[in-house]
Amino acid sequence: MLLNRILSHDLPRSRWLALALLIVLVALAVAPFAFPGVKALSVAAKALVFILLVASFDLLLGYTGIVSFAHTMFFGIGAYGVAIASTRMEPGFAAVLVGTAAALLVSLLLSLVIGLFSLRVKAIFYAMITLAVASAFQTLASQLSDFTGGEDGLSFKNPPWLSPSFEPFEAPFLGVTIDGKIFTYYLIFTVVVVLVLALLRIVNSPFGRVLQAIRENDFRAEAIGFRTVVYRTWSNVLSALFATVAGALLALWLRYVGPDTTLSFEIMLDILLIVVIGGMGTIYGAVVGSALFVLAQNYLQDLLKLGAVALEGVPVLSQVVTPDRWLLWLGVLFVLSVYHFPTGVVGRLRAARRRD
Amino acid sequence: MTANLLELKGVHTHIGAYHILHGVDFVVPQGQVTMLLGRNGAGKTTTLRTIMGLWPASKGEITFRGQPLNGVPTPDIAASGIAYVPENMGIFTDLTVKENIVLAARSARHEGELDKARLTWIFGLFPALQKFWLYPAGKLSGGQKQMLAVARAICEPRALILIDEPSKGLAPSIIQNLISAFRELKAQQTTILLVEQNFMMAKALGDQVAVMDDGRVVHTGTMAELAQDTSLQHRLLGLSLGAHA
Amino acid sequence: MNTTVVPVATPPQAIPKASFDWKPVLLLVGLMLAAIPAIGSTSSWITLTFAGLAMGLIIFVIASGLTLVFGLMDVLNFGHGVFIALGAFMATTVMGGMAVFADQGALQALLAIFCAMLVAMAVAGGVGLAFERVIVRPVYGLHLKQILITMGGMIVGEEIIKVIWGPLQIALPLPEPLRGAFFFGDAGIEKYRIVASLVGLAVFGLLVWTLSRTKVGLLIRAGVQDREMVESLGYRIKRLFVGVFAAGSALAGLGGVMWGLYQQSVTPQIGAQVNVLIFIVIIIGGLGSTLGCFIGALLVGLLANYTGFLAPKVALFSNIGLMVAILLWRPQGLYPVTNR
């Protein structure tokens, strides 16, 4: 079937999961029209970017079994690439393309170097080294202010078609004025859908299967004849490249890049949280997880706020049930997930199906 | 009759998906040396490790002094009076010879608390250990490391000593040393379960014999019987030993 | 009973040398010497070197627990930073409470700091016990899950710290009598740095003594090499591990106090920030090696101060550069622990 081929034969295998995915897809597809308002569209765009970002991380963690803390670095490279190009050159598609291409090149080289250098060592070494490298990169970005705008970041203009002030149609369409923002949104949507399908194709290919073999037992994979270093490096590089594109997309949406929009450790933690809670090694986990996460981050905090108001005055509880401390709850959920739900939301949904 | 210090009944061991021991049955009588013989891969090392609890037995019973050893954690098994000298000797290479021995002597907190008489006896058996007392064990030769491994097992009285292929890769003169040491232990009524491929050593020391093949014990009996029956030797061990002493 | 012992023919190079590997120490000394011409003035060199050594010793206190825990039980605690933060914040509470007392004189100030250290160690050690039981124990041997779950533990811990002490930066000023510096000619050596150095050296001395002179230390060193064999000798090494973990956490707490006083302020992110630094240090030193951790920490401290003076922009990468350089020389760290 056509669906089978599009999804590279990696079907959801669960009614519930398929339903969830469909809801996410449709909701994101019609977001500008179904959920009018600046905030709602922002949430949708952020969800899209995260879907791509986390899915690319799943390739590395879920399928290859490598923990890397440098993912946000590649995310940032993509964003800064577009930003720097758009500020140095005339803003326009040329700048965006040049910026993205340059960013991809930098990511390629960097991920190659990191991969070849550290993938020969134990996983723990690698995790620590990527932590150090990412941290250094973050400081670098805020230090090279001439180049990167330092702490303040860079604001820039999008290509004309993607600019918010671009309104090609006088009359509103389906109740919404079509402007550059909507075009940007659909650009992001298309790119993300295509790349996620590409990721599905990658993980279901012979290459992807070797990755999984390496994840399960690298000693054995090496014994069979696969040069694990090569495969791991490739996984590292691909994952970095996809993250870079996600960064470029984010830059186009925000029209601003700073050290904390892409490089912060909080974002790295968010990625980890999503991929674990969503379900490692599934790609769909990234989709469902990111959507849930971004929704929660923006709307659950309102819920927590209500809770805080209700518990006002209660000594400890009021401090704990506040929107500021939502990371606490997320952290607890994360720890519980690693133990009790190692297959994440996706795994649970699939298990539910088997019980039917 | 001498009581059986150690008994294995129908012991199975799985390592991951591999079924290594398929129902091992034999006994180790008190005060005697029992040889565990067999080809490479027969399951001898696995048997010792299972007794020590390093690999759990999936089925069957292991009894030591009448008490079950199944599911008991390794440190407790060791503390109940069993010393283990593994195939790779388990020498702590960064520690000195002295520190290796102090560690093995559970009741000693430092060198001063070691049993002097026993130490003298050990030095008599293995003079090299006294010579290299303060040197890192990692710098010793293979034979000296083996001596240290055995010395660790005997620095305090133990009811049962499990030894895995001590003669592997050692020069004949050192093997003679080991044989003398084990003979002395025997004289002190120590029970030994010895895995050996060196049949000469086995003949010199063994009282009882258990032969393994493919994860099972295929023959038990006295060493005297086995030593005299060359066709049995050939059948069980695939060796033709002739009259080599 | 007469034993005929066949004399063992001693091979030609019979006596093995119990030699100590001096090269990393020489590297340390070399760095200090190389800095003299680079910096120019002797007085600046003295100030910077002392500052670097003090910083290095504080880092050592924090990292020592982590490297032992890893070496002994193969557990990498990505949440080690939470104990640092806990210690630092406990210090703000204790020092804040004793502020008036501490300002009365040098002795009182030292006493106050001591109290802060003891309280921090007790609290951090206690939390460490709970952390080991709840978070670490279920994932022994599963490296991937360890990384994830200890990281999760740190997130939760950091948030709880924010609940108790608030999310903002808190000042941790030195008591009046300990501010300022001693001057030897032009060279100024800050008073607090001397205190920190002494504490750091004391911790190092205590660790080395425990490891080489006590049975517990013997067990730890042996366990780092071959856990299975230690168990086969009859020791419940798992119990020992809990103790080492708690001790490591307590040391991190102590380090947190010292670090907080060094920076004179404390933020909830302090754990995550120092995390990166200590990982670099234990990689440089060799996972599981106390001496390596010591030399590595001193190298990092010195380099940070030298480059901070000479080329501030480079300072940020000096750590990573050092790590890369050392790994190229010795891929397993300065003092690799020969493993099982």
Side-chain angles (χ1 to χ4, degrees), chain A residues 91-129:
Chain A
F93 274 114
V96 169
L97 285 173
V98 166
T100 313
L104 284 171
L105 190 62
V106 171
S107 290
L108 175 69
L109 291 172
L110 213 51
S111 58
L112 257 178
V113 166
I114 298 178
L116 290 174
F117 180 73
S118 358
L119 284 171
R120 296 174 186 280
V121 303
K122 280 162 65 157
I124 296 209
F125 259 105
Y126 184 71
M128 292 195 279
I129 289 175

Side-chain angles (χ1 to χ4, degrees), chain B residues 49 52 54 74-76 78-79 82 84 86 89-90 92-95 99 102-109 124-125 127 131-132 135-136 139 147 152 173-174 176-177 180 184 187, chain C residues 1-11 14-19 211-215 218-219 221-223 225-237 336-338:
Chain B
R49 286 180 67 90
M52 281 309 286
L54 294 168
T74 305
D76 296 348
I82 305 182
Y84 176 49
M89 297 180 277
F92 303 114
T93 49
D94 283 349
L95 271 54
E99 288 174 327
V102 169
L103 198 58
R106 282 198 288 274
S107 60
R109 279 174 302 177
L125 292 173
K131 192 167 174 189
F132 302 136
Y135 288 94
K139 305 264 181 156
M147 291 191 234
R152 281 196 319 197
S173 53
I174 305 192
Q176 276 305 318
N177 251 29
S180 310
E184 287 221 16
Chain C
M1 164 129 192
N2 217 352
T3 28
T4 40
V5 173
V6 176
V8 179
T10 36
I15 314 280
K17 292 235 169 61
S19 62
L211 286 176
S212 52
R213 295 240 176 265
T214 63
K215 188 128 190 205
L218 205 55
L219 282 169
R221 277 191 294 140
Q225 282 212 274
D226 191 341
R227 201 184 319 152
E228 211 178 61
M229 194 63 221
V230 173
E231 288 195 314
S232 303
L233 288 174
Y235 297 101
R236 294 218 185 125
I237 208 164
V337 171
T338 36

Side-chain angles (χ1 to χ4, degrees), chain C residues 24-49:
Chain C
V25 181
L26 291 175
L27 178 64
L28 183 66
V29 175
L31 178 64
M32 292 199 278
L33 292 176
I36 301 181
I39 293 175
S41 94
T42 328
S43 55
S44 301
W45 180 84
I46 294 180
T47 311
L48 286 172
T49 305

Side-chain angles (χ1 to χ4, degrees), chain A residues 67 124-125 128 325 334 339, chain C residues 76 134-135 144 148-149 159:
Chain A
V67 182
I124 296 209
F125 259 105
M128 292 195 279
R325 298 281 78 78
F334 178 68
Y339 282 150
Chain C
L76 197 76
V134 173
I135 303 231
L144 196 67
L148 294 175
I149 224 175
E159 290 298 304

Side-chain angles (χ1 to χ4, degrees), chain C residues 26-338:
Chain C
L26 291 175
L27 178 64
L28 183 66
V29 175
L31 178 64
M32 292 199 278
L33 292 176
I36 301 181
I39 293 175
S41 94
T42 328
S43 55
S44 301
W45 180 84
I46 294 180
T47 311
L48 286 172
T49 305
F50 265 91
L53 290 175
M55 182 186 194
L57 285 168
I58 299 178
I59 296 175
F60 166 71
V61 169
I62 299 175
S64 55
L66 190 65
T67 201
L68 273 184
V69 158
F70 182 76
L72 186 58
M73 258 341 213
D74 221 18
V75 164
L76 197 76
N77 184 8
F78 269 77
H80 200 66
V82 95
F83 303 113
I84 305 172
L86 200 53
F89 275 95
M90 284 300 335
T92 60
T93 309
V94 173
M95 296 298 291
M98 294 180 84
V100 174
F101 172 72
D103 279 337
Q104 285 171 10
L107 195 60
Q108 287 89 333
L110 285 174
L111 217 58
I113 292 189
F114 237 50
C115 277
M117 286 180 176
L118 286 176
V119 170
M121 285 178 76
V123 171
V127 173
L129 278 175
F131 197 87
E132 193 274 336
R133 156 74 50 99
V134 173
I135 303 231
V136 174
R137 196 177 292 190
V139 289
Y140 275 177
L142 308 167
H143 280 175
L144 196 67
K145 283 200 175 168
Q146 266 168 34
I147 297 176
L148 294 175
I149 224 175
T150 50
M151 196 117 243
M154 184 163 89
I155 298 174
V156 173
E158 216 174 80
E159 290 298 304
I160 293 184
I161 286 179
K162 286 185 195 168
V163 168
I164 303 178
W165 280 282
L168 302 169
Q169 189 182 60
I170 301 183
L172 184 58
L174 281 171
E176 187 62 52
L178 286 181
R179 288 188 209 154
F182 291 123
F183 281 91
F184 303 97
D186 267 336
I189 301 178
E190 290 191 20
K191 291 182 190 171
Y192 172 66
R193 290 198 179 139
I194 298 183
V195 174
S197 304
L198 290 173
V199 174
L201 284 171
V203 169
F204 179 62
L206 189 66
L207 271 176
V208 168
W209 181 83
T210 308
L211 286 176
S212 52
R213 295 240 176 265
T214 63
K215 188 128 190 205
V216 168
L218 205 55
L219 282 169
I220 295 176
R221 277 191 294 140
V224 166
Q225 282 212 274
D226 191 341
R227 201 184 319 152
E228 211 178 61
M229 194 63 221
V230 173
E231 288 195 314
S232 303
L233 288 174
Y235 297 101
R236 294 218 185 125
I237 208 164
K238 295 213 169 86
R239 273 203 202 146
L240 180 63
F241 174 61
V242 177
V244 171
F245 193 91
S249 311
L251 281 175
L254 173 62
V257 174
M258 294 165 75
W259 186 266
L261 284 170
Y262 191 83
Q263 310 273 50
Q264 304 221 42
S265 82
V266 166
T267 74
Q269 286 77 32
I270 201 178
Q273 289 163 356
V274 186
N275 239 10
V276 178
L277 204 59
I278 55 178
F279 284 150
I280 293 178
V281 163
I282 66 177
I283 291 182
I284 290 177
L287 291 164
S289 160
T290 310
L291 183 57
C293 182
F294 183 68
I295 305 272
L298 290 180
L299 282 170
V300 165
L302 282 173
L303 203 61
N305 278 276
Y306 289 153
T307 53
F309 177 78
L310 292 170
K313 291 265 170 172
V314 178
L316 306 161
F317 304 99
S318 61
N319 296 329
I320 298 213
L322 179 66
M323 181 174 77
V324 170
I326 294 203
L327 287 182
L328 286 174
W329 172 39
R330 290 192 172 176
Q332 305 264 44
L334 288 174
Y335 288 106
V337 171
T338 36

